[in-house]
């Protein structure tokens, strides 16, 4: 009896611009066993795994599972799924995928991760047995460093602190500080020395780790400061916020004082207006007196002349309010344009796309 197949899940979306040609030459050779269309699709999903692994592991898992469904016997696809599972802490699944990669490719470069998975599953004896297998002698120097760090951690888990230090001593003194794995090795060695209370030795190797850690992959500098008793002070604490609030309050008070001064100016203008009214009243009284004198002595020409002079009135002084100049703030509406969080070139293409093919190639395995 045939069992119905489970419906195929929709494949995750490939980011625009991903062609699949970004994978390295070794992965391309592995994909030659597939059809051209399928090989291109699997390569695109592998590129997406590399892009999302450190950003969104769940999204990377969807792409890795899709690559395995389409190319289950391609080592690069199984390795990608194992790396995502390892990042998610699914140790058993990661170990199974790494074993499959080793069987399909014959490569031992994943042995450090396999040992770490055994350790995470609580099988320390099996982890040490695998770490001491003859195949470890074929590992590259950086893979040997990773294996030594894992074994040192296992020794510490078992309470063998001195053995943890001894396992890293030889490599730490022989490795070049310019190698990518040097900072991690120095850091692990310093941590192991600190576990046996060798504070001076720990300080020396944390210092070396900080000097070699150009990519800031460790917190060696912070650990060194802790040993030196250096305390980090937050320069933007609550006191600064209170001072800022006080400054704002003082500014408000200054504004209020300015408003008060403006009110005083308004009162001065009113006083001037009252004085003008008083002058006009005085002029009116003079005019009335002149009319009375005309009635009493119409024949007195000299008095009439004086009255006529009084009738002309005093000149009025016009008060003009100064013109108010209104200022306006100007702003620029221009802003840089981004596409999906990436800067564009003048042609509208992603700035990252200007790299060469060799620079955009994604390594199919973890260094």
């Amino acid at each position: 009896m045939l069992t119905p197949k489970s419906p195929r899940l929709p494949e995750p979306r490939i980011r625009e611009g991903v062609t699949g040609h970004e994978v390295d030459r070794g992965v391309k050779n592995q994909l030659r066993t597939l059809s051209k269309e399928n090989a291109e699709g699997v390569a695109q999903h592998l590129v997406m795994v590399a892009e999302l692994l450190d950003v969104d592991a769940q999204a990377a898992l969807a792409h890795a599972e899709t690559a395995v469904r389409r190319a289950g016997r391609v080592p690069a696809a199984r390795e990608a799924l194992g790396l995502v599972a390892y990042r998610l802490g699914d140790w058993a699944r990661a170990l199974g995928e790494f074993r499959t990669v080793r069987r399909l490719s014959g490569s031992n470069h994943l042995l450090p991760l396999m040992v770490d998975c055994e350790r995470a599953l609580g099988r320390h004896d099996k982890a040490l047995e695998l770490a001491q297998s003859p195949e470890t002698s074929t590992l590259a120097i950086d893979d040997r460093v990773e294996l030594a760090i894992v074994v040192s951690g296992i020794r510490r888990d078992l309470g063998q602190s001195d053995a943890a230090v001894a396992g890293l001593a030889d490599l730490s003194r022989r490795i070049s500080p310019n190698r990518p794995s040097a900072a991690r090795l120095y850091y692990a060695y310093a941590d192991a020395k600190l576990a046996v209370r060798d504070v001076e030795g720990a300080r020396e190797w944390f210092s070396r780790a900080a000097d070699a850690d150009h990519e800031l992959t460790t917190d060696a500098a912070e650990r060194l400061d802790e040993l030196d008793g250096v305390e980090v002070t937050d320069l933007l604490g609550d006191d600064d916020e209170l001072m800022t609030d006080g400054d704002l309050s003082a500014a408000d008070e200054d504004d209020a004082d300015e408003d008060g001064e403006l009110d005083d100016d308004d009162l001065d203008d009113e006083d001037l207006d009252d004085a003008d009214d008083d002058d006009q009243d005085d002029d009116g009284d003079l005019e009335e007196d002149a009319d009375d004198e005309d009635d009493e002595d119409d024949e007195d020409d000299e008095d009439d002349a004086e009255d006529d002079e009084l009738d002309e009135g005093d000149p009025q002084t016009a008060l003009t309010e100064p013109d108010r100049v209104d200022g306006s703030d100007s702003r620029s509406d221009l802003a840089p344009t981004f596409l999906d969080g990436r800067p564009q070139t003048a042609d509208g293409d992603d700035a990252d796309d200007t790299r060469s093919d060799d620079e955009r190639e994604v390594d199919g395995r973890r260094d």
Side-chain angles (χ1 to χ4, degrees), residues 225-243:
D225 289 340
E226 291 177 3
L227 292 178
D228 291 340
V230 177
E231 295 183 0
V232 179
T233 303
D234 186 5
L235 298 179
L236 296 177
D238 296 336
D239 294 339
D240 290 337
E241 294 179 359
L242 293 175
M243 291 179 62

Side-chain angles (χ1 to χ4, degrees), residues 4-273:
K5 295 182 178 180
S6 58
R8 177 173 294 183
L9 298 176
E11 295 188 355
R13 186 181 66 86
I14 302 296
R15 179 178 62 80
E16 184 179 357
V18 173
T19 64
H21 298 295
E22 297 87 350
V23 297
D24 65 20
R25 185 175 291 104
V27 176
K28 290 179 180 178
N29 291 335
Q30 296 178 20
L31 295 176
R32 287 179 179 176
T33 59
L34 307 176
S35 65
K36 182 178 179 180
E37 180 181 357
N38 192 27
E40 181 178 331
V42 172
Q44 289 176 325
H45 286 292
L46 293 179
V47 173
M48 294 303 299
V49 171
E51 286 189 1
L52 296 171
L53 185 59
D54 295 329
V55 179
D56 188 348
Q58 288 295 337
L61 179 63
H63 286 283
E65 290 176 339
T66 301
V68 170
R69 282 198 303 268
R70 298 178 62 169
R73 296 191 62 81
V74 173
R78 305 305 292 262
E79 181 176 345
L81 181 56
L83 289 175
V84 177
Y86 181 85
R87 181 60 57 88
L88 291 173
D90 191 349
W91 313 116
R93 187 178 189 182
L95 182 58
E97 294 299 328
F98 294 153
R99 285 173 175 168
T100 301
V101 174
R102 189 182 183 191
R103 184 178 66 254
L104 292 174
S105 66
S107 174
N108 296 310
H109 69 279
L110 292 175
L111 273 176
L113 296 182
M114 295 172 64
V115 173
D116 201 25
C117 288
E118 294 284 10
R119 173 196 179 191
L121 292 171
R123 301 195 289 252
H124 294 85
D125 292 339
K126 196 167 185 178
L128 290 175
E129 181 182 353
L130 183 59
Q132 295 169 358
S133 61
E135 292 81 3
T136 59
S137 61
T138 64
L139 295 176
I141 180 63
D142 291 323
D143 292 332
R144 289 173 59 192
V145 167
E146 293 298 329
L147 181 60
I149 292 174
V150 173
V151 172
S152 177
I154 295 174
R155 296 297 185 186
R156 292 178 62 181
D157 292 344
L158 296 175
Q160 303 171 3
S161 299
D162 291 333
V165 175
L168 298 175
D170 185 56
L171 271 177
S172 297
R173 289 178 170 84
R174 291 170 54 190
I175 192 172
S176 169
N178 296 323
R179 293 203 66 88
S181 58
R184 281 177 46 78
L185 178 59
Y186 294 160
Y187 185 94
Y189 190 41
D191 209 25
K193 280 185 168 293
L194 192 61
V196 296
R197 300 183 180 179
D198 183 0
V199 178
E200 289 300 322
R203 189 192 181 286
E204 175 188 353
W205 289 97
F206 274 133
S207 177
R208 294 192 184 189
D211 293 338
D213 191 6
H214 304 295
E215 301 297 330
L216 301 180
T217 57
T218 70
D219 62 343
E222 288 78 4
R223 297 290 299 274
L224 186 61
D225 289 340
E226 291 177 3
L227 292 178
D228 291 340
V230 177
E231 295 183 0
V232 179
T233 303
D234 186 5
L235 298 179
L236 296 177
D238 296 336
D239 294 339
D240 290 337
E241 294 179 359
L242 293 175
M243 291 179 62
T244 302
D245 294 337
D247 294 338
L248 292 175
S249 299
D252 293 339
E253 293 178 358
D254 293 339
D255 293 340
D257 294 339
E258 292 179 359
D259 293 338
E261 293 176 359
L262 292 177
D263 293 339
D264 294 339
D265 293 339
D266 293 339
L267 291 176
D268 293 339
D269 292 340
E270 292 178 359
D271 294 340
L272 291 175
D273 293 338

Side-chain angles (χ1 to χ4, degrees), residues 305-331:
E306 292 177 0
D307 291 337
D308 291 338
E309 292 178 359
L310 292 175
D311 288 338
E312 291 178 0
D314 295 334
Q316 300 280 336
T317 303
L319 298 179
T320 59
E321 183 179 359
D323 294 335
R324 183 178 59 207
V325 178
D326 294 330
S328 60
D329 294 333
S330 62
R331 66 181 178 86

Side-chain angles (χ1 to χ4, degrees), residues 15-17 51 337-345 349-353:
R15 179 178 62 80
E16 184 179 357
E51 286 189 1
T337 302
F338 291 87
L339 177 62
D340 296 335
R342 298 179 304 280
Q344 290 182 287
T345 62
D349 298 329
D350 293 346
D352 292 342
D353 290 343

